[in-house]
Amino acid sequence: MDAEGGTSAAPLLNADATTPTPNQGRRRRRLLVLLFALSLAFLTLVRPLLAVILGEIHRQENLDAPCPRKGGVALVLGGRGSGSGENDGNSSSSSSFTPPRLVVWSGKKRGRLSGDADGELQGAVHVLELRGGSRSGGRGGGKKGKWKVATSTSSPSSPLLPLPRWKPVAAALSPSVGALFGGDAQMVEGGEEESQYLSDLWRFELEPAAEPTSKAAAAEERKGKAGSPPPPLSVRWTRVSNEPSPSYPLYDADTDADAVPQARRAALGVSLLPEEEEDYDDDEEELAAPRQRRQRRRRPSTLLVHGGRGRRKSDGILSDLWAAKEVGTEKVEWERLWPPSDSLSSSSSSAAAATPPLPRKGHAGVALPRGASLPLFPGPALFLTGGRNDSAGECYHDDSFLFEVEERRWHRVKFSSTSSLSSSSSSSPSSLSSSLSSSLSSSALRRDHAGAWLCEREKKVFVFGGRGGSSHDASGPLGDLLAFDVKKKTWSSRKFSSSSPSPAPRFLFGVGTYESLDGDTKAVVFGGEGKHGYYFNDAWEFGCREQRWEALTRGAVAASAATAG
């Protein structure tokens, strides 16, 4: 009996020791509820507050960073193999390299972080030094993510500075020269904001800081122990015009419609870079020299401007195409490429029979240099896609066009998509073929204020972001990346995994391109407006070779109660 009782009592004692009492169970449940409530409070209150504090600390560490904005200018000046510029007319060898820099100017900011009024236009020039493809900084690679403020100066021949604006046309003409045309200055008269469309054309040149004169000075500068800070960057603005003494009209009140383009905003502007040509002279010795020893030079670049919104209500949305020639000189020559003049249309049946794109604004596009549009046609061309027309029945356009610059002829690109299975040929990068979408439709092109760039070696035009939807009222920012194969004339969509970083959906951002030290084409995206009216000031870089995104800066965002259109 005692033995049986002993053996049966032991497990009962162990069971009582391990079984929780009702009070202990209630305490555990209360503890779990408390932990869940604290986690929820951290996610809803503490985490956003911590993000704001860290963002403010970052802003204080880099006060030269541009504030969040949309609709401004963001260009990359510099890169590999582009020559030394247009001022002297000579180009350097293909191995030349100008340190690439992202230049940001103007645009409309949202000043909730700094306490300023929303919608203020910016006038300072901010410059971000890029690495230029060198992982270690190296040649041409500045400190990653470091912004600088450049000083704006005027040219002696044109002692003026451009008015701050948004939605202008901007394009890089050379490694150190950019062009600016039009936009909206939005003057404030009588306490009310009023749009002031511009028709002025500017050339701006970025003058880099002086290089250290010795290795010791360079080492001291890298350590931050130099005796004196390096001289600041300077941007020299020059107003160029087809008049001998350019005036400064806000808009073209009485200009000849066949001589210069009218004032506009949200137009498409691209730079058609010229081919190199040999500089011959009458010297027999020079002509007898080997081809590689002869001097080579570039003709001045051409700025192409298409469409946009006109100043007057009667103008509506525009569809004309203009070329600004000799922008690198003091006197520019405007030429209307489309619609053709009466003499051209009557003498050229191909021009008269061409089908041009409908009027549009906010469309994206690139310039295709000679040979890039093969096998379609050999000459240089303009490629455009998307855009919007408020007065048309179809709000967002879903078409694409090519314009032959030399022949002055439009070609509508019939929409065709490709799947990942059909695009795995040797001519397609393997990194892209594994991530193509097979369900892309023409509705994916319905967007405005997107960014586009050309990857010439890959024969592809990439279109990122923008704003789109079934209607303008139901539209929102986009974050996808589309690719147009120039050779095959097919569209595809690039998908990124959740582990791969990429920019947030946005529109009205700036985009610029350059060729890195290793020969890869890089596209840099800055700013823009995202969901819920947030404005960005972050910078992202996309490499054509690896086809992936990389964050260049840690950006801040500025929010507003109302979303601007």
Side-chain angles (χ1 to χ4, degrees), residues 367-381:
L368 301 177
R370 185 178 300 277
S373 55
L374 291 173
L376 302 179
F377 36 84

Side-chain angles (χ1 to χ4, degrees), residues 334-537:
W334 281 104
E335 182 182 7
R336 193 178 69 181
L337 303 181
W338 190 271
S341 61
D342 296 337
S343 59
L344 178 61
S345 60
S346 60
S347 61
S348 175
S349 58
S350 61
T355 303
L358 294 174
R360 62 194 65 204
K361 64 176 182 177
H363 42 309
V366 298
L368 301 177
R370 185 178 300 277
S373 55
L374 291 173
L376 302 179
F377 36 84
L382 168 68
F383 173 82
L384 65 86
T385 182
R388 189 172 111 240
N389 189 344
D390 296 333
S391 59
E394 192 76 22
C395 183
Y396 288 98
H397 294 290
D398 60 356
D399 50 8
S400 304
F401 288 85
L402 281 161
F403 181 79
E404 288 186 81
V405 176
E406 294 177 348
E407 298 296 330
R408 302 191 181 188
R409 182 168 51 214
W410 285 104
H411 300 267
R412 178 164 182 167
V413 180
K414 185 179 179 181
F415 181 84
S416 177
S417 65
T418 181
S419 66
S420 58
L421 296 178
S422 62
S423 62
S424 58
S425 62
S426 59
S427 60
S428 300
S430 58
S431 58
L432 179 65
S433 61
S434 60
S435 305
L436 293 178
S437 171
S438 59
S439 59
L440 189 66
S441 65
S442 61
S443 61
L445 305 182
R446 294 178 182 173
R447 62 187 69 200
D448 65 347
H449 302 306
W453 59 88
L454 171 67
C455 295
E456 188 171 355
R457 289 181 178 85
E458 291 76 11
K459 296 285 187 180
K460 285 183 172 58
V461 176
F462 285 93
V463 178
F464 166 71
R467 176 180 57 186
S470 58
S471 65
H472 182 49
D473 294 335
S475 64
L478 304 173
D480 55 346
L481 183 66
L482 306 179
F484 175 73
D485 192 310
V486 180
K487 186 177 180 180
K488 299 179 180 179
K489 294 189 294 183
T490 56
W491 285 94
S492 57
S493 177
R494 177 75 160 93
K495 301 296 183 182
F496 295 94
S497 63
S498 57
S499 60
S500 178
S502 61
R506 64 190 67 198
F507 63 96
L508 273 175
F509 52 88
V511 59
T513 61
Y514 72 97
E515 187 175 355
S516 64
L517 194 59
D518 57 2
D520 188 19
T521 299
K522 306 280 190 177
V524 181
V525 167
F526 169 82
E529 180 178 350
K531 296 180 179 179
H532 310 297
Y534 284 97
Y535 286 16
F536 299 105
N537 72 338

Side-chain angles (χ1 to χ4, degrees), residues 19-239:
T19 303
T21 64
N23 291 335
Q24 289 176 335
R26 284 193 293 269
R27 283 196 296 268
R28 288 184 180 180
R29 287 193 295 271
R30 289 173 184 173
L31 181 60
L32 291 175
V33 172
L34 179 60
L35 291 176
F36 177 78
L38 291 176
S39 301
L40 186 62
F42 176 80
L43 293 176
T44 57
L45 299 175
V46 180
R47 187 178 178 182
L49 180 61
L50 183 61
V52 172
I53 294 175
L54 293 177
E56 183 65 20
I57 293 175
H58 172 66
R59 192 177 70 87
Q60 292 295 331
E61 290 176 350
N62 196 355
L63 295 177
D64 291 337
C67 63
R69 64 188 68 193
K70 68 174 182 179
V73 173
L75 291 179
V76 177
L77 298 181
R80 174 181 178 269
S82 299
S84 58
E86 295 189 19
N87 296 334
D88 56 4
N90 296 329
S91 69
S92 54
S93 64
S94 60
S95 61
S96 64
F97 184 83
T98 304
R101 292 179 172 92
L102 173 64
V103 180
V104 173
W105 177 77
S106 203
K108 182 181 288 189
K109 81 169 187 176
R110 178 149 291 166
R112 178 63 59 87
L113 291 183
S114 59
D116 295 333
D118 288 354
E120 181 181 348
L121 298 175
Q122 302 301 289
V125 180
H126 300 265
V127 179
L128 177 67
E129 297 184 1
L130 307 175
R131 293 175 302 179
S134 174
R135 290 288 177 184
S136 60
R139 183 182 177 189
K143 183 179 179 181
K144 180 183 178 182
K146 186 65 175 179
W147 288 96
K148 295 181 181 179
V149 177
T151 304
S152 291
T153 60
S154 59
S155 173
S157 60
S158 178
L160 298 169
L161 291 177
L163 292 173
R165 63 196 70 190
W166 74 313
K167 296 185 179 180
V169 161
L173 302 176
S174 78
S176 61
V177 181
L180 171 74
F181 169 76
D184 187 358
Q186 286 200 334
M187 302 294 185
V188 178
E189 296 182 2
E192 295 185 1
E193 194 176 77
E194 182 179 351
S195 292
Q196 294 287 351
Y197 289 12
L198 307 175
S199 61
D200 49 350
L201 178 63
W202 295 81
R203 184 181 74 249
F204 57 94
E205 303 173 56
L206 180 62
E207 300 174 353
E211 298 292 337
T213 57
S214 64
K215 293 183 178 180
E220 288 296 315
E221 184 181 10
R222 285 195 298 270
K223 295 178 181 179
K225 299 179 180 180
S228 58
L233 295 172
S234 176
V235 175
R236 186 172 69 227
W237 296 90
T238 303
R239 171 77 189 275

